[in-house]
Amino acid sequence: QKTKPTQHGVRDLRSVGLSPTVIFCRCKEVLEQSTKSKIASFCHVDGPGCVLSVHDVSNVYHVPLLLLEQRLHRILAENLKLGSVPGLGDRLDLGMNGLEEKSSMWNLCGGSAANENVLDALATGRGELDGLSGMSRSMVDWTRMAFKLDLFGESVRIVIVGKYTGLQDSYLSVIKSLKHASMAVERKLDLIWVEAAHLENDFDKEEMGGEKEYKEAWDKMKSADGVVVPGGFGTRGFLGKVLAAKFCRESSVPYLGICLGFQAMVVEYSRNILCWDDANSTEFDEKTENPVVIFMPEIDKENMGGTMRLGSRNTAFTHPEHEDGSTSIAQVMYKNARVVSERHRHRYEVNPDRVDAIHEAGLKFVGRDETGTRMEVAELPRSKHPYYVGCQYHPEFKSRPLNP
């Protein structure tokens, strides 16, 4: 294992006055002890224990465990003097001792397990974890999650219908939240990308794609186990999002619309169920006779900078039960909470003047802001559709691996 690149990197840091306390070595194989000792000696860190091996693992959720076993938490606590903080020192000991002292059970650095029963208990949830009794509950849950992920066999195909599929980092929070959700149901996530414009049969414009792209896009839609339509701005691709909502509603394919995806399902329902053929958002057609989505009255149309409705806002579930007796899907997902707080990022909203007509026609606005005038969550009852939900806010921003 070569150490020169690491030595050169540390030398460059020192040239600008930075001296590392810990060196993380990203590598394919486990860092050998002799290599750690050599790096520690030439890079002037406090022993080989401050040279950490960050080698390839089966999934990214093993990385915190990898660092934990190499006592990173101890190094941080010592250098930041966390043990002197009242009450914190004991919590550090309680939370971490269990894992670092159980390297005889499985050696994450070596990539091999010495105790398969412990691994099975972690991965399947069966059996006792007495050997990890010193760990905090959150670390036990995290460890179980990391090992379970390696055993998933079945996949779930989720289509993302977006405008910015060429730059998938635009949807990074959506991707991560879908990953968290798939882990919660013990499925491998198979993400399928569909450019919204390719769902439209407008072949005259180059950016809309041709017949080949059109066919491929719809083939992907028909293969989906579920469809997510995230947010976006601008006219291009909006009709494609409306068509995606229509396809999912008519084909009983699970659908989640976020922000613009929520508005697309409202437009689609208005056009095809209420027969408002020109129903649209005033963002795309200011002259429509059926403006079901409008510019929010408190927003300045002339000055676009810093004028969005941003940040955490409360949503109250005003219609927890449907007429068929079923509970609101959204409220079930929020564990029957009456009020939830989620983050927003939009300038347009469902037209309050059209809410009653749309609601009575079957698309239920089950979540509204605290004034009751701003629509936040819409859905079809489960007697009509297995999962057809849209929300004006961005729930993906708060998703976490252990709390999707």
Side-chain angles (χ1 to χ4, degrees):
Q1 294 178 323
K2 297 184 181 298
T3 64
K4 282 294 183 183
T6 303
Q7 293 180 46
H8 291 161
V10 172
R11 183 190 63 190
D12 291 342
L13 278 176
R14 288 181 173 278
S15 70
V16 294
L18 299 174
S19 296
T21 302
V22 183
I23 298 175
F24 296 84
C25 294
R26 182 69 183 92
C27 46
K28 188 172 183 179
E29 304 293 340
V30 183
L31 208 61
E32 298 172 1
Q33 188 63 32
S34 60
T35 305
K36 287 187 174 185
S37 298
K38 187 175 180 181
I39 291 174
S41 175
F42 283 96
C43 297
H44 308 290
V45 293
D46 191 16
C50 293
V51 180
L52 307 187
S53 175
V54 188
H55 50 269
D56 289 356
V57 287
S58 54
N59 68 70
V60 69
Y61 300 102
H62 282 291
V63 174
L65 306 180
L66 200 67
L67 299 177
L68 195 61
E69 188 177 8
Q70 296 176 82
R71 301 174 61 88
L72 175 62
H73 62 290
R74 298 292 182 197
I75 298 171
L76 293 174
E78 181 180 342
N79 283 272
L80 298 177
K81 295 181 172 53
L82 298 180
S84 63
V85 178
L88 185 57
D90 293 339
R91 288 168 57 193
L92 283 169
D93 290 341
L94 177 65
M96 306 301 185
N97 271 339
L99 184 58
E100 71 173 27
E101 293 177 359
K102 300 304 171 185
S103 57
S104 60
M105 291 185 178
W106 75 89
N107 186 347
L108 290 175
C109 291
S112 62
N115 189 327
E116 293 184 0
N117 292 331
V118 173
L119 284 178
D120 181 68
L122 286 168
T124 64
R126 299 189 299 269
E128 296 297 327
L129 293 174
D130 293 336
L132 302 180
S133 59
M135 290 174 63
S136 67
R137 183 72 251 169
S138 61
M139 286 309 303
V140 171
D141 291 342
W142 185 279
T143 306
R144 177 180 285 121
M145 174 195 70
F147 281 102
K148 284 177 66 177
L149 188 56
D150 296 332
L151 301 182
F152 293 165
E154 297 183 51
S155 297
V156 58
R157 290 172 61 87
I158 302 297
V159 166
I160 295 182
V161 180
K163 295 180 59 174
Y164 319 115
T165 56
L167 183 62
Q168 295 178 5
D169 278 359
S170 301
Y171 302 111
L172 188 59
S173 56
V174 175
I175 295 170
K176 292 296 185 182
S177 63
L178 287 172
K179 180 70 173 177
H180 301 160
S182 68
M183 289 159 53
V185 297
E186 301 185 4
R187 296 291 187 275
K188 292 180 180 178
L189 178 62
D190 185 8
L191 271 184
I192 311 296
W193 294 91
V194 170
E195 173 63 45
H198 292 169
L199 295 173
E200 306 173 24
N201 59 358
D202 182 0
F203 306 134
D204 295 332
K205 300 176 183 178
E206 183 178 349
E207 67 270 16
M208 307 303 282
E211 293 186 26
K212 178 183 177 182
E213 289 80 7
Y214 177 79
K215 181 180 183 304
E216 289 177 349
W218 279 108
D219 285 344
K220 292 176 181 178
M221 289 290 293
K222 293 171 184 176
S223 72
D225 295 319
V227 174
V228 175
V229 180
F233 296 92
T235 304
R236 181 181 62 82
F238 180 68
L239 177 57
K241 295 190 175 191
V242 171
L243 292 171
K246 181 176 185 290
F247 168 79
C248 291
R249 180 179 59 80
E250 294 178 343
S251 305
S252 295
V253 175
Y255 174 96
L256 174 62
I258 300 172
C259 199
L260 187 60
F262 162 70
Q263 296 172 8
M265 65 187 282
V266 172
V267 170
E268 185 279 324
Y269 204 85
S270 300
R271 290 179 181 179
N272 297 297
I273 301 300
L274 284 88
C275 299
W276 298 342
D277 294 338
D278 70 335
N280 213 334
S281 167
T282 56
E283 181 180 3
F284 312 121
D285 182 5
E286 292 187 353
K287 297 181 180 179
T288 177
E289 294 182 3
N290 289 288
V292 293
V293 178
I294 61 171
F295 204 80
M296 288 186 289
E298 71 269 31
I299 304 299
D300 185 353
K301 284 188 177 183
E302 302 300 325
N303 300 306
M304 301 301 285
T307 58
M308 286 194 290
R309 182 174 180 245
L310 296 170
S312 184
R313 312 283 178 135
N314 287 341
T315 295
F317 289 107
T318 55
H319 296 74
E321 290 189 3
H322 296 299
E323 295 170 358
D324 61 3
S326 63
T327 303
S328 159
I329 299 175
Q331 189 158 27
V332 170
M333 297 297 289
Y334 281 104
K335 301 177 182 178
N336 295 316
R338 293 181 177 274
V339 178
V340 296
S341 180
E342 295 284 5
R343 290 167 61 183
H344 293 68
R345 191 173 183 269
H346 65 112
R347 291 189 181 93
Y348 290 80
E349 65 173 338
V350 176
N351 189 345
D353 295 336
R354 302 299 178 109
V355 165
D356 289 344
I358 298 172
H359 184 89
E360 291 171 6
L363 184 62
K364 304 300 184 181
F365 292 106
V366 298
R368 312 185 181 199
D369 76 340
E370 293 176 313
T371 68
T373 58
R374 185 156 281 157
M375 301 303 107
E376 297 282 5
V377 183
E379 65 180 47
L380 289 177
R382 278 177 282 181
S383 60
K384 303 292 185 183
H385 197 286
Y387 189 93
Y388 193 76
V389 178
C391 52
Q392 184 61 73
Y393 50 76
H394 290 261
E396 72 274 16
F397 289 161
K398 288 188 173 181
S399 179
R400 300 293 182 270
L402 294 175
N403 186 25

